[in-house]
Amino acid sequence: MSLLDAARAVREMAYVPYSRFKVGAAIRGRSGAIYRGCNVENVAYPEGTCAEAGAIAAMVAAGETELIEVAVIADSPSPVPPCGGCRQKLAEFARADTPVLLATTEGATLATTVGELLPGRFDAGHMARAE
């Protein structure tokens, strides 16, 4: 199964009773394993979880902390990029050149990288003087 196929399949599991906007994400860990996540809404909107965050949580729960590829899919007129918070979450576990494939359910795609999604990212190097 391709990474995009994994994202497409998990998208169908999204819990979106309020927005009806299903998103699926799949990430490949350094081991080659695929981790999937879908968005999960809550009536208190800020308490929901993005698909990318769910996939990252699954990866970390499995004992991995490095991702090497990302795919995100939604039913949208154009490929939907991760929100700002998820861009930072992806940057925590990926290199700037990590490939990201954004897709629509109709087949449109946009290939990018974590670094292009989040230029000037905040990382652990900025905290070098913290005690």
Side-chain angles (χ1 to χ4, degrees):
M1 173 179 286
S2 76
L3 202 60
L4 186 55
D5 288 338
R8 182 177 286 109
V10 75
R11 178 186 165 276
E12 294 305 316
M13 304 305 292
Y15 177 75
V16 292
Y18 309 105
S19 73
R20 307 274 193 253
F21 187 70
K22 295 180 179 184
V23 180
I27 58 177
R28 187 179 314 278
R30 170 73 47 208
S31 71
I34 294 174
Y35 304 98
R36 305 177 318 155
C38 58
N39 54 326
V40 178
E41 293 180 348
N42 187 290
V43 69
Y45 274 116
E47 300 306 317
T49 304
C50 295
E52 299 88 343
I56 290 168
M59 179 186 74
V60 172
E64 289 204 61
T65 57
E66 184 178 357
L67 63 91
I68 62 168
E69 189 179 5
V70 180
V72 180
I73 189 168
D75 184 12
S76 179
S78 61
V80 176
C83 73
C86 284
R87 292 176 194 212
Q88 184 64 47
K89 289 176 179 90
L90 289 168
E92 180 73 16
F93 298 99
R95 295 177 11 181
D97 64 351
T98 298
V100 178
L101 181 64
L102 307 174
T104 70
T105 56
E106 297 297 315
T109 61
L110 174 64
T112 187
T113 66
V114 169
E116 289 170 338
L117 288 172
L118 189 63
R121 74 192 210 178
F122 179 77
D123 63 28
H126 292 103
M127 298 180 67
R129 295 185 184 176
E131 292 186 46

